[in-house]
Amino acid sequence: VALIDKAKNINILLQKESIVGLVGMGGVGKTTLSSKFYHLFHNEYDKSSFLEDVNSKDNIDVIKQLLHDLCGKRLCKDANVNKEDLDKIRQCMTSKKVLVVVDNVGKAQNLTSLPIIIDKATKNPTYKSKVLVNCRNWQSLKSHVNENGKVVMKSLEEKQARELFMFHALGNGNHVPTKDFNDICMKIIKACGGLPLSLKVLGSFLCNTKELEIWEGALNTLKSGQSVTGGNDNEELWSVLKISYDHLDKKHQNMFLDIACFLGGLKISTICRAWSGDYSHPKFGLQNLQHRSLIQWIEGGVLYIHEQLRDMGHNIAMELPIMNRCIWKSNQSNNFLQKDEVVVENLEGISLKKCDNLPMLSQIDSKGFCNLRLVDLTEASPIVVENFIQGRNLNKVKVLFVRVFGVEKLPSSIGQLNALQELHLSRCSKLKELLSSIGQLNTLQSLDLSRCSNLKELPSSIDELNALQRFDLQGCSNLKELPSSIGQLNALQRLDLSRCSKLKELPSSIGQLNALQELHLSWCSNLKELPSSIDQLNALQELEWCSNLKELPSSISQLNALQRLYLLRCSNLKELPSSIGRLNALQQLVLLGCSELKELPSSI
């Protein structure tokens, strides 16, 4: 509603100011407007970058994205950004016409780490490059943005609010059944305060509901503010959003809380695996939450939850009197566990992110967490990881996030997690080995070891992971070889070996991976050829080849299911075999950077 006009006004302002700050409370539509502006005007610039939700990301990852978008340089995930990289960004910003949109700045540090902001040239009105920043709090922006560049996002006017609400509540027809419905409709719109997020969520909740009593009930709930008490902006918005949550059945409420506290930002396929056995028909449940506008699906099959809905979910999880379902806030874990009414055996999820110490663990016996399903130990101290996992009954844990820089090895009892389906160990850069007990995880479907840069080998017991479907070894730069037993992974569908720079060869047993659909080998700089058994991968749909490849074997034509073949930066590749024309399922052939390739075979 009115987005194009608002985007045009921002574009006009950016002709006068180099940096424009978009300010307003959560749910007012800052990200939506920023996205629309970027979509409409980024083609008018030489280079552009949309830095999405910087408040939830590490500053170094934001700079890496900027480096890639503006300078075409992609750094591996565990690489550092050096002065030369920052200079490249500055040079691009000063020599070209560049657009950068910085979405959801939460604190001033999100900006001071970005060279585009601290560069004094951006304060020059004649500067060709432009920056749009959105943020809830002007205090985080005012030292970087001129007062003239401040745009306050206001709530929608009554006509616009009605248009948005009616679209979600009644569809494109916008036909109000009766005068009584129209009266209640206008009162609901007024109670929503013109906030787009509340209008969208409440409209989706009432969609296709033709019972006047339900509309009246929603209005009465809004007036009483009974969903969430309090007077700040967040709680006033939550009182609207929670109406939709309150009318979910218990199963879908639990699914929403799982997403808000643990699973937001993950792929839909990962979430469905995490819920395997807990919720019947999880995709139907996700679709139900999506229809109510409580979640969104974005590019790449990733689930997105609005930060206000996520925060509301956190608040619900911590305040429910029967609670004890999940602890999401690690800095409250000790206090929470000390409460007399907390029954640890009821806990289904716990987050100990960045937790340095947890003395209360020693007071909880081995059976204390027997109903846990979701555990997040991201950036916790190694001692917390050890004490939490070792010797505990975690037989119901489905998803375990570790991602701890200082962890050198996992507790041996990791193999006793009999229900584990997702094990995330990415960024454990000091991890030197996996214990053979890892092979006991016979329900494990996804193992993420990406950026474990000190990992040198895998245990032969890896072949016992009979349920493993996804195996991510991206960025394991010290991994020299794969065990021949890897060919026994009969369920494996995706194997990512990108940036395994010391990997010299693949075992011939890799041809036994009958279920393999994706094989990623980009930036494997020491891998010059593949075993002949590669042509036995009858299910392979996507192959991303190593950059030092010298020759593509003619037997590649036997990959009857191959749909996508990526030969990126294969600068030593001089020709393609004529047999490539027999790849009847091929849909994409990418030859970017194959500088020695003079022609394509006629069979193509």
Side-chain angles (χ1 to χ4, degrees):
V1 175
L3 273 180
I4 294 180
D5 289 341
K6 293 177 182 177
K8 287 180 178 178
N9 289 336
I10 289 175
N11 191 49
I12 293 172
L13 184 57
L14 275 171
Q15 308 312 310
K16 305 173 184 176
E17 299 288 333
S18 292
I19 306 180
V20 167
L22 198 56
V23 185
M25 69 171 288
V28 79
K30 300 184 298 298
T31 295
T32 304
L33 177 55
S34 298
S35 300
K36 188 67 173 180
F37 166 79
Y38 185 82
H39 175 74
L40 289 175
F41 296 106
H42 78 278
N43 286 330
E44 297 180 5
Y45 293 79
D46 301 326
K47 296 282 185 178
S48 61
S49 179
F50 189 97
L51 303 175
E52 184 179 15
D53 194 10
V54 298
N55 188 44
S56 67
K57 299 176 181 176
D58 292 336
N59 289 334
I60 192 74
D61 290 333
V62 175
I63 296 175
K64 284 180 181 179
Q65 182 186 336
L66 199 59
L67 184 65
H68 173 259
D69 293 346
L70 302 187
C71 308
K73 182 176 180 180
R74 187 185 294 276
L75 294 178
C76 61
K77 292 181 180 179
D78 57 346
N80 290 321
V81 175
N82 56 37
K83 183 178 181 299
E84 180 183 345
D85 295 326
L86 297 179
D87 288 341
K88 282 184 177 180
I89 296 174
R90 290 192 184 96
Q91 175 63 25
C92 181
M93 292 289 293
T94 53
S95 63
K96 296 181 178 181
K97 184 180 179 182
V98 173
L99 173 65
V100 178
V101 176
V102 189
D103 172 46
N104 191 26
V105 169
K107 47 189 179 294
Q109 291 90 322
N110 292 148
L111 296 180
T112 54
S113 65
L114 292 173
I116 58 166
I117 300 297
I118 60 176
D119 197 319
K120 293 181 180 179
T122 55
K123 294 286 184 125
N124 186 342
T126 62
Y127 198 53
K128 292 188 296 182
S129 293
K130 305 294 180 181
V131 180
L132 174 64
V133 185
N134 71 58
C135 183
R136 290 191 196 181
N137 188 358
W138 172 246
Q139 299 300 318
S140 300
L141 298 184
K142 67 178 186 178
S143 61
H144 304 286
V145 182
N146 293 328
E147 190 70 31
N148 292 336
K150 177 183 177 182
V151 176
V152 178
M153 278 286 287
K154 298 179 180 179
S155 302
L156 296 178
E157 297 175 2
E158 184 177 298
K159 181 180 178 181
Q160 297 171 343
R162 187 180 191 278
E163 182 181 347
L164 181 62
F165 176 79
M166 298 290 276
F167 172 81
H168 287 285
L170 299 172
N172 288 322
N174 287 352
H175 176 67
V176 182
T178 66
K179 182 180 182 301
D180 289 338
F181 264 100
N182 186 66
D183 291 343
I184 290 178
C185 177
M186 296 311 298
K187 291 177 181 177
I188 289 175
I189 291 169
K190 183 177 180 180
C192 284
L195 284 176
L197 181 61
S198 62
L199 292 162
K200 178 181 177 182
V201 171
L202 196 57
S204 298
F205 163 64
L206 294 171
C207 182
N208 299 322
T209 301
K210 304 202 182 293
E211 297 179 37
L212 189 61
E213 298 82 30
I214 295 179
W215 286 59
E216 290 174 338
L219 176 60
N220 291 333
T221 303
L222 278 174
K223 286 181 175 179
S224 66
Q226 64 188 35
S227 292
V228 178
T229 59
N232 64 44
D233 287 342
N234 284 345
E235 290 180 327
E236 288 177 9
L237 175 57
W238 295 346
S239 67
V240 181
L241 303 180
K242 195 168 179 285
I243 293 174
S244 188
Y245 167 85
D246 286 338
H247 283 78
L248 293 170
D249 60 32
K250 187 64 177 177
K251 166 188 167 182
H252 290 102
Q253 285 184 347
N254 288 343
M255 293 176 88
F256 174 78
L257 292 179
D258 281 355
I259 293 167
C261 296
F262 295 96
L263 303 176
L266 296 180
K267 286 194 172 183
I268 303 297
S269 56
T270 299
I271 294 171
C272 289
R273 280 194 297 271
W275 285 340
S276 176
D278 294 320
Y279 303 122
S280 59
H281 309 295
K283 283 192 175 179
F284 175 79
L286 288 172
Q287 190 175 58
N288 185 25
L289 295 177
Q290 183 189 27
H291 287 166
R292 291 172 179 263
S293 297
L294 293 173
I295 61 171
Q296 298 177 42
W297 296 9
I298 57 177
E299 187 177 355
V302 174
L303 185 147
Y304 168 77
I305 179 169
H306 191 282
E307 62 181 65
Q308 281 285 5
L309 287 162
R310 178 200 64 207
D311 293 346
M312 181 192 74
H314 290 172
N315 185 73
I316 292 170
M318 293 302 294
E319 296 299 328
L320 283 176
I322 57 165
M323 196 344 234
N324 309 342
R325 280 197 71 254
C326 54
I327 305 173
W328 66 270
K329 207 166 186 178
S330 59
N331 61 4
Q332 294 182 356
S333 296
N334 265 326
N335 293 334
F336 188 81
L337 291 175
Q338 290 180 50
K339 291 181 180 179
D340 293 335
E341 69 270 20
V342 171
V343 182
V344 178
E345 287 79 2
N346 290 346
L347 278 174
E348 294 183 31
I350 187 168
S351 173
L352 299 175
K353 286 184 179 180
K354 300 183 179 181
C355 185
D356 293 328
N357 192 15
L358 196 57
M360 286 300 298
L361 276 178
S362 61
Q363 301 177 31
I364 299 172
D365 63 31
S366 60
K367 298 180 181 179
F369 295 112
C370 58
N371 282 306
L372 277 179
R373 296 182 296 111
L374 308 170
V375 179
D376 192 347
L377 303 175
T378 299
E379 297 183 46
S381 69
I383 190 66
V384 169
V385 174
E386 174 78 20
N387 290 343
F388 190 85
I389 297 176
Q390 187 66 38
R392 294 194 180 277
N393 180 1
L394 301 176
N395 290 335
K396 292 188 178 181
V397 172
K398 297 283 186 68
V399 180
L400 173 60
F401 294 94
V402 178
R403 297 173 176 170
V404 178
F405 168 77
V407 167
E408 296 186 6
K409 67 176 183 179
L410 295 175
S412 58
S413 62
I414 190 80
Q416 298 174 16
L417 274 63
N418 300 328
L420 195 63
Q421 298 193 8
E422 297 271 338
L423 178 55
H424 296 263
L425 299 167
S426 61
R427 300 196 296 272
C428 292
S429 54
K430 287 192 175 183
L431 186 68
K432 296 179 180 179
E433 62 175 341
L434 285 181
L435 300 178
S436 60
S437 61
I438 200 84
Q440 299 172 26
L441 300 174
N442 52 24
T443 62
L444 193 66
Q445 296 184 26
S446 178
L447 177 55
D448 184 356
L449 290 164
S450 60
R451 290 179 278 176
C452 293
S453 53
N454 263 314
L455 188 66
K456 295 182 178 180
E457 60 181 1
L458 300 174
S460 59
S461 63
I462 207 82
D463 66 343
E464 299 172 25
L465 299 176
N466 299 321
L468 194 65
Q469 298 176 12
R470 299 172 66 86
F471 197 4
D472 192 345
L473 293 160
Q474 179 189 165
C476 292
S477 52
N478 272 299
L479 187 66
K480 295 182 179 180
E481 61 180 4
L482 299 179
S484 59
S485 60
I486 198 170
Q488 302 300 312
L489 298 176
N490 296 324
L492 194 64
Q493 298 176 10
R494 187 179 192 273
L495 177 59
D496 193 341
L497 297 165
S498 304
R499 300 186 184 277
C500 291
S501 53
K502 290 191 177 180
L503 194 64
K504 293 184 177 180
E505 62 180 4
L506 298 181
S508 59
S509 63
I510 202 166
Q512 300 172 24
L513 298 174
N514 297 324
L516 195 66
Q517 297 176 11
E518 295 182 33
L519 178 58
H520 298 270
L521 299 166
S522 63
W523 296 102
C524 292
S525 53
N526 275 301
L527 191 63
K528 295 182 171 64
E529 59 182 9
L530 298 180
S532 58
S533 62
I534 201 81
D535 59 16
Q536 299 172 25
L537 298 175
N538 296 323
L540 197 66
Q541 298 177 15
E542 182 172 322
L543 177 56
E544 187 178 16
W545 221 292
C546 46
S547 54
N548 266 357
L549 177 73
K550 292 184 177 180
E551 184 180 14
L552 200 62
S554 60
S555 60
I556 194 175
S557 63
Q558 298 181 39
L559 299 177
N560 297 322
L562 194 66
Q563 299 176 12
R564 298 173 293 279
L565 177 57
Y566 300 107
L567 301 173
L568 295 169
R569 295 172 291 278
C570 294
S571 56
N572 294 320
L573 185 65
K574 295 184 178 181
E575 62 179 0
L576 299 179
S578 60
S579 62
I580 199 171
R582 295 202 291 272
L583 291 172
N584 295 326
L586 196 66
Q587 298 174 11
Q588 295 179 19
L589 175 60
V590 180
L591 301 166
L592 184 67
C594 296
S595 53
E596 291 297 311
L597 193 63
K598 304 300 181 186
E599 60 181 2
L600 300 178
S602 58
S603 65
I604 259 179

